[in-house]
Structure formats: C-alpha cells, structure tokens
Amino acid sequence: MSRGPDGAPAPFPAGKKARRKAARALAAQRATALAMAQKAVLASGSFAEEFADIEAVAAHHGNNHEVLVARFYKRDRAPMFDLVGTLEFEAVSEDRRVLDALGHARAHQSTTREYISDLYEGEPLDLGFASQNWQRAVRDRKRPGMLDRRRFEALVFTYLAGHLQAGDVAITGSDTFANWLDQLPDWEECGDKLAQLCEETGLPATAAEFTAALRGRLEATAAEVDSGYPDNADLVIDANGIPVLRTQRAKGVSAMAEALEAEVKRRMPERTLLGILSRTAYWVEWWRRFGPASGSDPKLKDPFGRYVLTTFVGGINMTFAEAARHISGVSAHELSAITNRHLSVDKINEAITDVVNAFMRLDLVKAWGDGTSVAADGTQRRRRSRPPQPPSKARRPSRT
C-alpha cells in the first residue's frame, strides 16, 4: 500500500480506471506478502509445527527454563546413570528426599514410556525439595499421579549436583564430597579446650550459665525499652498490643542548614568527571603505571591525555565506537589498542593504589577514624599496605 509523506495511507486516485489499477496493485502486493509468509511457514515444516513452536515458547514465559533442561541432558543420560550406579551416596541430614528421587529415577532407568508413576515404595514421591517451576514441569494436570520421565530425571540430577556442592549429600569414600560431619572432632577431643575457648571469648562455660546470661541480657534489653516508652512520642501500642510507628512529617529546612549548603557549594565548585580524572592524573601521576608490556616508553603522541581518556571511557562503561563518535580527535581503534596493549589488571591495581595512598595524605581521612580502612559505595575495604611511591622525576605534562 502506498503511503503519503506523513506515513498515512495515500488516498485512491481519482478516476474509475486509476482506482481499478490501484486496487489490482494492492491485491497483488497482499497476495505476494501472503505467499512469502506461507513459504516461510512451510520451510519450517507446517502450520501445525509452527503453532506447536509458538505454544512451546509461550509455555516458557515467566522465567520457566526448567522445561528446556531435559533436551540438553539427553546425550549425557547414559554416563550419568552409570556414574550414580557406581558411587554410593549418603544423606548428611535426615532429609533423604533427593536420594529417594534418585532411587525412583534409577528404578525406571530402562523405561521407554514418556510418563512414569510417582509412587516410590508404595508412597507418593515427595518433591518438596524442588522449586515450584520444577514441580510444574514434571507433572501434568491431565495425568495425575504421573511424572514426565525425562524432565524428572533432569530434575533429579540437577538437585543432586546442588546438594553435593552444598554438603547435604555426601559420597562414601570421597575426599571432596565426603561427609563433613565425619570430619568434625569428637567431644573427647574438644571438651578439654572448651574452658579456654569460653575464657577467651567471654562466654559462659556451662549450658545453665549460658542460658542464664542470655536471659539476663534479654530482660535488661526489655527493661530498657519499657523504661523509654513513656518518652517515645513516635511509638504507640494499641489495645491489641500491636506497636505502631506514627508517621513523621518533614520539617522545614533551617536557616543554618541552608547556610551550610551555600558554603559547601561555594567551597566545592561543580566539576566534570573527566576534569576530576585529569586533575588526579596530573597530581598523583597514576597514569605512569600504564604502558606497553615490554616496559618501554609508550609510543603515543600524548600518553597522558590518551591514558586518561581511555580510563574515562572504560570507567563509564562506554564502548570504543561510542567514545569515538562523541569525542573528537580519537578513534575506536586507538582506544582499543591502548586498552589491549598498555593496560592490565595489575597495572590498574597499581594505579588504584597510588590514588588510595594519595588520599591517605588528606585531612579528610581523619573523619573516617584511624585511616586503616576506606569506603566506596558503602563497602569498606582494607587499604593496601604498600607504602606510597615517590613521584616520578620525569617532567610533568603541560596542563590542559
């Protein structure tokens, strides 16, 4: 169908002959499109197979990937059954549901039918250890009391691997997957050390003393909370004994807070991220940690500017093509070559160490405490113990 400049369908031309000609052309276009669609569908098999594929895809909506596992497990089915038939498994706890499911799968190993009964030793098999998606995948509403054999086997081996890694199931005679309960020391071995441990940790040495200490701490905390309740205007306990916090209304900004904000803005002018990066590179010289793997001087026209720009592009997760499109004077190939040939994880860590050690010289560090830790995004990390490196004697690059 022809369209006008605004994208709307163009009106039929005036005149009977012209309208007939346009109608025939439109019918021909529709017939061609329909033929192409039919050809694409028939190339995939048939309309029935196409609808089956659509239904299969629709069944996987909602992050339900479990129904897809069985098809990839098929080629490894025989060696996996051989493996579990050779090994001897034991439950570390009283929960044997995974091993019961494994026994049920092995009992139907030679079965070729698609569905098997869910009865194991005369009782319905408990699949409560599996997720709801897995339980829906192995059961069919049209076949109550039956399990999809292929999906059930995939479920069993998936959870058996997870229980082995978590230590809930052990392999007899194994080293990596041994029963961790057997590796714990006996009470006769550690009983004599209990008194020393309790003395070092400040814990009571007997069960009665331990219980009394906990009860005392709980009573003291409860008494402290009760004593502060009359003065707590925000907490109310209703007639049913349910505590409720009252909604607090926001208070207006005080004149002192506004003055403080104005003074902070005056002393800390707004700066760009690239400008901050360039200033730290100039004063700290962390960019000198980068260079070719051979250790020779970089053959770049402006190594300072190129290293700062490459660090900026990588730090904001921008692709080299996007950087070349938005930043003049640099190409995607140049940024990629610098990243691959001049940067490495060790070199970046050394540059980070230079920045952290330079930060340690600032008075702001005293606001954090003794200066043995630094925080970023709410995560505290220990400062590197390597002492600050003296600045390079090479001539500083000109300011830009």
Side-chain angles (χ1 to χ4, degrees), residues 75-387:
R75 64 178 182 180
D76 298 323
R77 179 179 183 272
M80 293 179 72
F81 269 110
D82 292 341
L83 179 64
V84 297
T86 304
L87 301 176
E88 181 180 353
F89 299 93
E90 59 176 309
V92 176
S93 63
E94 297 181 356
D95 189 355
R96 291 187 48 86
R97 291 180 296 180
V98 174
L99 296 184
D100 292 342
L102 177 61
H104 191 56
R106 292 187 60 192
H108 294 83
Q109 177 180 352
S110 58
T111 303
T112 58
R113 59 180 181 272
E114 186 175 357
Y115 288 89
I116 60 176
S117 172
D118 66 347
L119 294 179
Y120 177 70
E121 296 182 353
E123 297 291 337
L125 191 64
D126 186 2
L127 298 180
F129 61 88
S131 65
Q132 292 295 326
N133 283 348
W134 266 115
Q135 295 187 43
R136 285 193 295 265
V138 300
R139 295 188 183 275
D140 191 346
R141 294 181 180 178
K142 299 179 181 179
R143 297 179 175 85
M146 304 296 289
L147 300 174
D148 187 309
R149 180 178 57 82
R150 295 182 178 86
R151 294 179 181 178
F152 172 68
E153 292 174 356
L155 177 152
V156 170
F157 286 114
T158 299
Y159 277 91
L160 178 61
H163 279 60
L164 284 171
Q165 294 178 351
D168 296 330
V169 174
I171 300 177
T172 304
S174 173
D175 184 17
T176 304
F177 300 102
N179 191 335
W180 57 271
L181 294 178
D182 298 337
Q183 303 175 15
L184 297 178
D186 298 333
W187 177 252
E188 290 75 10
E189 299 179 17
C190 59
D192 299 337
K193 303 177 181 179
L194 178 62
Q196 180 181 356
L197 175 64
C198 293
E199 182 180 356
E200 295 176 355
T201 57
L203 296 175
T206 63
E209 295 175 352
F210 187 81
T211 304
L214 287 180
R215 183 179 292 107
R217 292 175 57 184
L218 179 60
E219 293 175 351
T221 303
E224 181 181 358
V225 173
D226 292 342
S227 62
Y229 174 71
D231 300 330
N232 192 343
D234 299 325
L235 178 63
V236 178
I237 299 179
D238 59 15
N240 298 324
I242 300 176
V244 179
L245 284 176
R246 292 179 176 176
T247 303
Q248 295 184 350
R249 296 182 179 180
K251 299 179 181 179
V253 181
S254 63
M256 183 178 297
E258 293 179 349
L260 176 61
E261 181 182 3
E263 184 66 16
V264 169
K265 290 182 177 180
R266 186 186 69 82
R267 298 190 182 188
M268 297 180 62
E270 182 178 355
R271 303 185 187 277
T272 64
L273 182 59
L274 185 56
I276 296 174
L277 196 63
S278 301
R279 287 173 178 268
T280 58
Y282 177 80
W283 292 109
V284 181
E285 294 188 331
W286 54 258
W287 64 275
R288 295 188 181 278
R289 298 294 182 181
F290 303 152
S294 61
S296 59
D297 294 335
K299 304 299 189 294
L300 300 175
K301 184 177 180 180
D302 181 19
F304 172 83
R306 287 298 182 261
Y307 288 155
V308 169
L309 191 58
T310 303
T311 304
F312 172 76
V313 171
I316 65 175
N317 202 24
M318 178 186 290
T319 64
F320 301 139
E322 291 175 339
R325 186 164 58 250
H326 296 287
I327 303 175
S328 61
V330 65
S331 65
H333 173 73
E334 183 179 8
L335 293 174
S336 176
I338 293 175
T339 301
N340 296 328
R341 301 175 184 176
H342 293 232
L343 274 65
S344 66
V345 176
D346 293 336
K347 294 177 180 178
I348 294 175
N349 286 334
E350 291 178 355
I352 293 175
T353 302
D354 291 340
V355 175
V356 173
N357 289 334
F359 176 78
M360 291 295 298
R361 303 189 186 101
L362 302 178
D363 296 338
L364 182 62
V365 179
K366 303 304 180 182
W368 290 86
D370 57 0
T372 58
S373 62
V374 62
D377 296 334
T379 303
Q380 290 192 357
R381 300 188 181 277
R382 287 290 177 182
R383 183 177 67 89
R384 290 176 176 267
S385 58
R386 186 172 64 85

Side-chain angles (χ1 to χ4, degrees), residues 28-41:
Q29 292 178 0
R30 291 178 175 176
T32 303
L34 180 59
M36 294 176 61
Q38 291 176 341
K39 182 179 179 180
V41 172

